[in-house]
Amino acid sequence: MIDEKHVRELLERPDDEAALVLLEGRAQVVGPADLTSAPYRGAAVLLTRADLVDRLGGDSPSEDEARAVASALRTATRDLGA
């Protein structure tokens, strides 16, 4: 399940290419090098840090904003059957 913790964790990453991924039904925040490694082969990239910052208009969202992003991502993945 995607929650505000994942949103905050992604924003705390120093690399704009860090990503929130979905792998085998679990959401995880990983660095760009991890995305090309064998354990993450087949992971669906939901959002990069750069995309998240653009979406939020900054890297310090309120709790409500972080909650709203997490909710939207949960809905999107549920709608995809992930």
Side-chain angles (χ1 to χ4, degrees), residues 22-34:
L22 196 61
L23 181 64
E24 297 176 355
R26 293 176 312 184
Q28 301 174 51
V29 175
V30 298
D34 294 324

Side-chain angles (χ1 to χ4, degrees), residues 5-67:
K5 170 183 71 90
H6 295 104
V7 173
R8 295 271 180 220
E9 184 179 348
L10 184 56
L11 288 171
E12 290 171 1
R13 292 291 181 118
D15 192 326
D16 279 342
E17 297 306 312
L20 174 61
V21 301
L22 196 61
L23 181 64
E24 297 176 355
R26 293 176 312 184
Q28 301 174 51
V29 175
V30 298
D34 294 324
L35 290 173
T36 59
S37 68
Y40 292 97
R41 196 166 291 132
V45 175
L46 302 177
L47 190 67
T48 66
R49 183 186 187 284
D51 292 336
L52 179 57
V53 169
D54 284 345
R55 182 177 186 166
L56 293 169
D59 62 0
S60 299
S62 69
E63 287 300 315
D64 288 340
E65 289 171 319
R67 198 172 300 117

